[in-house]
Amino acid sequence: QIAVDALLAMLMQAQSEGLTSWQISAGYRSVAYQQKLFDDKVYSYRQQGMTGAQARSAARKLVADPGCSEHHTGLAFDITVPGTSFGGTKQAKWLEEHCWEWGFILRYPADKTAITGITNEPWHFRYVGVDASMEMRETGECLDEYVERKQSE
């Protein structure tokens, strides 16, 4: 409930600043639904001529393994604009600049793909709490780096 409340407060602030077109494309996902998404992506790659192993490897760069998706936690949201590619929109820019204030982070930034192992997802935001999000903003860390540093402290 905390993540949903923070999401609503964040989007209400954005709307008060004139950004009124939003869509939550994904929130909580069951493991079964994640399995379907993963299987569909593997099938798509197989149709392009990849072997099963190649297709699974390629799919993992775009779709989390079932049981491993942040969407299973209820803390991740795919936030988009209806009918358009999200990256580069005013909404995407606003979220990148302000999401920290409500405890969210852009989970898979373009400059961290080598660390996260996931392709840039400008729509995927993860609730981590305000203290963590502000610290990560100050250090420039992605969640993977932040967790690794905290474990070594």
Side-chain angles (χ1 to χ4, degrees):
Q1 185 66 30
I2 294 170
V4 171
D5 290 346
L7 176 68
L8 292 174
M10 180 173 67
L11 294 179
M12 287 174 62
Q13 179 62 40
Q15 287 185 355
S16 76
E17 295 180 26
L19 298 169
T20 58
S21 183
W22 296 95
Q23 176 175 300
I24 306 303
S25 300
Y28 171 78
R29 286 185 193 148
S30 68
V31 174
Y33 183 66
Q34 189 69 25
Q35 183 72 56
K36 179 185 179 333
L37 293 175
F38 187 80
D39 291 345
D40 288 350
K41 185 57 72 177
V42 169
Y43 178 79
S44 173
Y45 284 133
R46 292 295 309 265
Q47 293 299 105
Q48 296 173 29
M50 290 185 181
T51 66
Q54 290 170 330
R56 284 186 297 279
S57 179
R60 285 187 178 100
K61 294 178 182 174
L62 298 172
V63 180
D65 280 320
C68 299
S69 173
E70 291 189 335
H71 287 287
H72 299 327
T73 68
L75 299 174
F77 301 92
D78 290 349
I79 306 171
T80 59
V81 174
T84 189
S85 178
F86 188 67
T89 63
K90 290 178 185 177
Q91 289 88 340
K93 291 174 186 172
W94 189 91
L95 282 175
E96 280 191 54
E97 185 175 330
H98 295 284
C99 69
W100 317 91
E101 300 166 30
W102 286 270
F104 287 92
I105 59 166
L106 174 61
R107 180 61 179 99
Y108 302 112
D111 63 341
K112 301 290 185 173
T113 57
I115 297 165
T116 65
I118 303 292
T119 303
N120 176 38
E121 293 187 357
W123 56 83
H124 185 101
F125 290 84
R126 163 80 185 257
Y127 183 79
V128 295
V130 174
D131 291 342
S133 67
M134 295 303 282
E135 186 174 341
M136 291 167 63
R137 180 180 180 156
E138 290 171 13
T139 63
E141 295 170 316
C142 66
L143 183 58
D144 306 72
E145 294 168 311
Y146 174 80
V147 168
E148 186 175 325
R149 179 173 56 84
K150 287 297 191 179
Q151 288 176 340
S152 67
E153 288 181 352

